[in-house]
Amino acid sequence: GVINVPAIVVALAVTALLMIGTKESANFNAALVAIKVTALTMFIVLTLPAIKGEHFAPFAPNGWFGPSGSSGMGIVGAAASIFFAYVGFDAVSTAAEETKNPQRNVPIGLIGSLAICTVFYLLVAAGAIGAIGAQPTAIGVQPGTAEFAHQCAALAAAGNEPLVCSNEALAHVLRSINYTWAGDMIGLAANLALPSVILMMMFGQTRIFFVMARDGLLPEKLASVHPKWKTPHVVTIVTGVFVAIAAALLPVGQLADISNSGTLFAFFMVAVAVMILRVRDPGRHRPFRTPLVWVTAPVAAGG
C-alpha cells in the first residue's frame, strides 16, 4: 500500500507513552528488552550445537568490496551499514539529565550495553551462518533490487531459499534445523519487542531537540515541560508526528540509509567537537575521560 498504517499506530502509541513519563517508558522498555534477550538467548542455545565448520567457507564470499562487475555488497559496504545496529547506544547519553548519578551510571550504561550487544551480535551471526550456511554465490546483487527479488523467487520456487532472501532471518534458521516452534516464538518476540527500538530512538531525539530549544537553537516553545508529567511534551508530539509521517510513506530500506547517514555524521561531529573542546576549554571538568584523544578522535572521525 501507499501508507503504512501499522507504522503510524506504533509511532503515535510510543509518542503517547513518552509523554506520560520517563519512568513509565523505562519500565515498558525494560519488559520489551527482556523479551528480546530471552528470544536471542534461545536462538543461540539452539543453533550453536548445530554449527558446521564448512558453512563458514568461503569466509567472505563477496570479498572486501563485492564481486567484480556486480552490485553485491562486500565487507566494506556491510561495515558502513552496521552503524544502523549501533545507532541506539548514543541515546543513553541523552538521558543524563534524568539519570541518578549520571557521572557513574551513564558510562556504565554505554560501555556495558555496547559490550553485551556485541557479544549477542557475534553469537547470533555465528549461529545463523554456522547452522544453515551463508548465501549461495548466485545472490551477488544488492538487496532490494528487482534482480535480487527475481533470484530469490527462483531459489524459493526450487525449495532452496537462502538466509539472505528470508524476510524473518532468525525464524528461518530455526525452522531450517527443525525447530519450527522456536522459529514461531522468535517471530512473535520480534514483533512484540520492535517498539522498544522506536521508543529509545524517539526518547533520545526528543531530549536532543529539547536541549537545543533550551539553548535557543530551536523555537523556545519546544522546551516546554508538562506540569503534571514532567516531560517535554511539545517536542515529543512534534517528533512523533514527523516519525509517523516518515514511517508511513518511506520504504524501510530508505529509512535505514537515512538513519545510517545521520548516525555517521553525528559520530563524526562528536569526535571533532571533543578535539575542539580540548583546545578551547582545556580546563573543563571531565568526569569521563577519553583516552589518547588525539589518536582516538581522529580515527573515529576518519572511520
Side-chain angles (χ1 to χ4, degrees):
V2 177
I3 298 177
N4 189 337
V5 177
I8 298 176
V9 174
V10 171
L12 295 181
V14 169
T15 300
L17 180 62
L18 287 171
M19 287 175 56
I20 292 173
T22 302
K23 184 177 180 180
E24 290 79 4
S25 301
N27 291 337
F28 180 73
N29 187 63
L32 296 182
V33 169
I35 294 174
K36 284 194 288 188
V37 170
T38 302
L40 291 175
T41 301
M42 180 183 69
F43 177 85
I44 293 168
V45 170
L46 293 178
T47 55
L48 289 187
I51 286 179
K52 296 180 180 178
E54 58 267 23
H55 287 162
F56 292 98
F59 188 74
N62 287 343
W64 284 95
F65 300 100
S68 178
S70 170
S71 59
M73 183 181 293
I75 292 175
V76 173
S81 298
I82 203 170
F83 276 94
F84 183 72
Y86 286 89
V87 69
F89 294 103
D90 60 334
V92 175
S93 61
T94 65
E97 288 191 21
E98 298 163 85
T99 303
K100 296 178 180 178
N101 192 8
Q103 287 81 7
R104 172 185 178 273
N105 292 331
V106 169
I108 291 175
L110 278 167
I111 298 173
S113 59
L114 181 63
I116 293 170
C117 288
T118 298
V119 171
F120 267 102
Y121 286 150
L122 292 173
L123 292 176
V124 168
I129 299 300
I132 66 172
Q135 63 194 46
T137 54
I139 305 293
V141 295
Q142 187 72 22
T145 61
E147 184 182 357
F148 178 86
H150 175 73
Q151 292 194 27
C152 283
L155 288 167
N160 186 30
E161 183 182 23
L163 177 61
V164 71
C165 291
S166 175
N167 290 324
E168 41 179 359
L170 301 191
H172 174 77
V173 171
L174 290 174
R175 289 167 185 152
S176 299
I177 58 175
N178 299 320
Y179 287 110
T180 304
W181 63 270
D184 295 340
M185 291 183 65
I186 286 281
L188 178 62
N191 281 285
L192 290 175
L194 271 177
S196 71
V197 180
I198 305 171
L199 189 150
M200 279 308 302
M201 292 299 94
M202 288 183 61
F203 173 86
Q205 191 60 64
T206 56
R207 270 47 181 183
I208 291 171
F209 286 155
F210 173 74
V211 174
M212 291 175 68
R214 194 173 59 188
D215 290 345
L217 300 174
L218 289 175
E220 185 180 354
K221 183 63 177 177
L222 296 178
S224 301
V225 176
H226 195 278
K228 177 182 178 182
W229 297 327
K230 308 301 181 183
T231 58
H233 61 296
V234 176
V235 73
T236 301
I237 293 173
V238 173
T239 303
V241 169
F242 276 100
V243 168
I245 293 172
L249 300 178
L250 297 177
V252 66
Q254 187 174 348
L255 288 173
D257 289 339
I258 294 171
S259 177
N260 277 332
S261 301
T263 303
L264 286 170
F265 184 71
F267 287 175
F268 169 79
M269 290 303 298
V270 168
V272 172
V274 169
M275 292 187 288
I276 292 174
L277 282 174
R278 289 295 176 91
V279 174
R280 292 188 176 181
D281 193 3
R284 176 183 290 265
H285 176 60
R286 299 192 296 272
F288 181 77
R289 295 177 178 271
T290 302
L292 301 173
V293 67
W294 296 109
V295 176
T296 306
V299 169

